[in-house]
Each structure stands twice: as structure tokens, then as C-alpha cells.
Amino acid sequence: MTELRFPEGFVWGAATAAYQIEGAVREDGRAPSIWDTFSRTPGKVFQGHTGDVACDHYHRYAEDVALMADLGLRAYRFSVAWPRIRPDGTGPVNPHGLDFYDRLVDALLHRGIDPIVTLYHWDLPQALEDRGGWTVRETAEHFADYALAVHQRLGDRVRTWTTLNEPWCSAYLGYGNGVHAPGRQDAGAAFRAVHHLLLGHGLAARALRAAGAEVVGITLNLADVQPADAGSAADAAAVRLVDGLQNRIFLDPLTGAGYPDDVLAHVGRIVEPDFLRDGDEKVIAAPLDLLGLNYYAPTYVAGRAGGVGSSAYPGTEGGVEFLPPVGPLTDMGWMIEPAGLTRLLERVAADYPGLPLIITENGGAFPDRNTEGTGWVADTDRVAYLDGHLRAVHEAIARGVDLRGYLVWSLLDNFEWAEGYRKRFGIVHVDYLTQRRTPKESARWYQEVISRNGL
Ligand code: PNW
């Protein structure tokens, strides 16, 4: 294969999220989040798994940072647990919660690893959910207050701040179909949540900027939506609807264009949009320095009367058919299609020009082999997945997309939300009985990619 080199200064890193790795859910003043509550609710998470211990990263962060340094990571994306910082959501800031991230940031900087902070990766304080969660406006205001508290402590050392991770998941899976915490099943609530998440982003972005944050961004899980039949008008209409619900509903208001008319009309058929207020769109359009994209798999749809639709896309029932994924698939049952990443990057760059992009998550769940005794974890499938997607990334850059970096999901095997620990995304294997970390073949491969700045 021809050698592919990446641009000078391309950011190579890995990503994680607080609830998925930290454990220590009752330590140093942390209060429950919606994921503590949800994971304790029978039937919600595979075999009742919880994040109580997870990778015990809260206690083993120093070892984990050493591992990152060994792999040569230039950047590490982690999330701050809101319930550690403001345990009851509205009361005083908990300095002990901030202490942990203080230590983590220092450890990263000591190793020359650039910290990329995510302020919200789904662990809303339960106390705020009890007051209505993301369906109420106050949560957006509390989020901005919390963001500022974190910035006050870490802002002298952290350059890059992202507000939300994947608000699509928080809103549609958390409030729409209930597959994620808080497990509500109400399409109207999902759209309320979309708006308040965006508003929270805007308020926090403004506050962070005013406090001197250098780079302010957000991470979205945009979809590469493709028609079953490229010549079909019905399929094109289905693509437009799903694209509206997953991509344009976030991208358009974030970039100053406001909510698209077709999306507003669709939402208006499901819920009275009394939560939209004058001036909100201006807040949401706070200047962005960076847009993080998470990409795993493409979405193929057809427009079909009576199509079953998807509970994850309110209002698609009866008109849209989501095509079953076709192989090869990951352990999540997600299609492996690197070309979708190139298409997505080119589309975002074309329709929302001038916005620097970074891949904040990409990776695959695969079963590991040969973990016994040898100290070697063979994950050839993951190496192939990452290699294919990095080639796709390189192609997008070659076509002119302003892509600044790539963060693999994930550094460690971890708590994969409703799937619990049975799905492994890590480039480093975690033995949950001993908490032993073993870099997989993919970690060694990635180390090589980073050191050569290329494939
Ligand atoms: C993302 N979907 O979640 C999250 O940001 C990570 O925390 C997670 O571990 C990773 O991707 C792998 O799942 C998603 O149903 C969860 O489309 C579900 C979906 C997409 C992303």
C-alpha cells in the first residue's frame, strides 16, 4: 500500500467519558446522575451492569495517563462528571470533585498530552432530572453555571472545551425512546430536550468565551444518511427527513441559520413548540471554533408508506424504512463503511464552511481473541476498521476538508451504556476482575501510526 501522510500538527488522540470509565460513584461528594439511577433500574442495562466501578479510572488515572504517553497520544478527550462538581445541581460547587480533574489535567500536561474537555457526556445530576431534566429551560442555565465552575478551576491549563457530547443521543434516546437515561418515552419531550441542550450549549459557550477559553466547540453524532435507491424521489424525501432530525436540527441553529423550516414543521406536528423563545436562536449561534464529529456507521433509508420508521427518530413511523445493516458488521451490529466518513466530512465542510473539524470519536466494538496468558490481545478486526477509517479521513483531507485531528473511541474497554461491559471498544483491554490493562494489537498499531504521522 502507498504510504499516506497526515498534515503537520495533526492531532492524534483517544477519547473516553466519565461514567464509562471512572467508577468511584460515591466518592468525594459525588451524587447520583441519571445513569446511576437508570443502570439500577431492572431491565435497562445488560445484566444490570452499572458504572459503580467501571475501569476504576478515578483511582488509576496515573497509570492510564502513563499508558497514553507510552502510546504517544498527543491529545486525550475526557468528560467531566457534572454530579462530582455540583452534586445537587443547583447548590454549592464541590471542590473535591474538581480536585480529581485538576490532578488528571496536571498528569496529562506533565506527559505533553493536550487535554480536550467534554463538559457533558450524559451524566446529568439526578437532582436536576427530578426538576424536569433537559425538558426544562432551567437545566440549560444550570449547565452554563457548572461549565463556568469547571473553567474557573481548569481554565489556566485547558485550551480546548467542548460543551455537549452527542445531544442527539441525550434527547432522542434519553427522552424519546428511553433506551438511554433517564429512560423517558415521549417524542415531545425529546424535542424539548433538543432545544434546551442547544440552549445550554449556547449559554455555556458564551460564558466560557467570556472567561477566556481559547477553543470552544461541541461534539455531534451526525449521520451519513443515504437513500436505498438513489433514483427514488420517495427515498430522497426520507433522507431529507432523517437528515433534518439528526443533522440540520443541530447544525443549522449552531451555525446561525436557525432551525430549518421543514424540521420546525415536522416538530410542530408532534409537539406544541412553546419552548422556543425569541432570542434563543441567537444564544445557540454562539461562535464555534471547532466542531467535533463522532462517526461509526452510515444510515440507509427508504421512503415507504407504512414504513415502520424508528423510535429514535420521532415522526418517522409510518413513512420511513431504515434498512437493516448489511455485512461486514461490528459487534454492535453496525455497518462498517469507511466511505461514509469521507462523505460526511465533505458534506459538513461544503454546507457549513469555515468550521474547523475534528473526529472526536471513531472506532469499533469487536470481540478480542488470545487474551489468556500470552499478554497479547489480537484485535485484527479493529486494526482493519481503524485503518479503513483513517484512509477515509485522509481522503477527506486530500479533498480539502479542514480536519484537525482524530480521536479513537476508545482508549479503554468500558461501560458501553445499555450494553454494559459486554461490548468492547478499547484499544487497551481491561480485565474487569483485576483491572489489568493490556494494550491490544490495535494500540501498538496506532502507536506506530502516530509516530509516523501516517499509514
Ligand atoms: C457514542 N446510536 O454513543 C458515545 O459518545 C460513546 O459514549 C459510546 O460509547 C460510543 O458512541 C459507542 O456507542 C452512541 O444508537 C450510542 O446511534 C448510540 C448511538 C450512537 C452513538
Side-chain angles (χ1 to χ4, degrees), residues 36 117 128 254 261-262 318 337:
D36 296 273
V117 168
L128 289 181
L254 284 168
D261 290 338
D262 62 313
E337 195 168 291

Side-chain angles (χ1 to χ4, degrees), residues 35 64 115 315 333 354:
W35 270 96
D64 292 338

Side-chain angles (χ1 to χ4, degrees), residues 285-356:
L288 280 180
D289 305 304
L290 189 65
L291 175 65
L293 301 188
N294 295 351
Y295 173 84
Y296 290 92
T299 305
Y300 282 87
V301 298
R304 220 164 267 159
V308 294
S310 163
S311 64
Y313 298 85
T316 56
E317 302 87 347
V320 178
E321 203 70 63
F322 287 77
L323 272 58
V326 288
L329 307 179
T330 70
D331 207 20
M332 297 291 280
W334 297 349
M335 278 175 77
I336 302 177
E337 195 168 291
L341 179 51
T342 312
R343 289 193 297 261
L344 180 63
L345 286 165
E346 283 197 272
R347 184 271 172 108
V348 174
D351 289 0
Y352 305 89
L355 199 51

Side-chain angles (χ1 to χ4, degrees), residues 55 63-64 67-68 71 368 377 379 382 410-414 424-432 436-444:
C55 309
E63 179 192 343
D64 292 338
L67 201 51
M68 295 177 215
L71 295 179
D368 299 322
V377 184
D379 60 342
R382 181 173 290 102
S410 178
L411 178 72
L412 304 171
D413 288 335
N414 61 48
R424 293 179 178 269
F425 273 92
I427 58 171
V428 174
H429 179 267
V430 176
D431 177 338
Y432 294 110
R436 205 183 122 154
R437 276 80 162 130
T438 309
K440 304 179 191 180
E441 190 181 315
S442 56
R444 295 301 169 209

Side-chain angles (χ1 to χ4, degrees), residues 164-247:
L164 309 174
N165 175 70
E166 302 191 348
W168 179 88
C169 288
S170 299
Y172 294 69
L173 305 184
Y175 293 87
N177 73 5
V179 169
H180 282 182
R184 287 181 56 182
Q185 299 182 351
D186 172 351
F191 288 124
R192 283 178 197 283
V194 166
H195 185 63
H196 296 134
L197 283 154
L198 282 170
L199 190 65
H201 157 79
L203 292 169
R206 185 157 79 183
L208 290 166
R209 173 98 48 208
E214 234 174 282
V215 177
V216 178
I218 184 170
T219 284
L220 302 175
N221 60 317
L222 300 175
D224 167 52
V225 192
Q226 296 297 326
D229 172 355
S232 152
D235 291 2
V239 167
R240 179 138 182 94
L241 174 59
V242 172
D243 176 65
L245 288 171
Q246 184 147 6
N247 301 331

Side-chain angles (χ1 to χ4, degrees), residues 4 24 82 95 166 182 227 252 271 280 301 326 372-373 384 439:
L4 296 182
W82 189 346
E166 302 191 348
D252 285 21
V271 59
D280 285 359
V301 298
V326 288
E372 290 313 312

Side-chain angles (χ1 to χ4, degrees), residues 139-168:
T139 300
E141 289 155 12
H142 294 311
F143 177 64
D145 292 345
Y146 147 72
L148 207 49
V150 179
H151 185 273
Q152 257 159 28
R153 178 66 89 86
L154 305 179
D156 58 337
R157 285 154 292 152
V158 172
R159 285 179 60 238
T160 308
W161 297 81
T162 63
T163 54
L164 309 174
N165 175 70
E166 302 191 348
W168 179 88

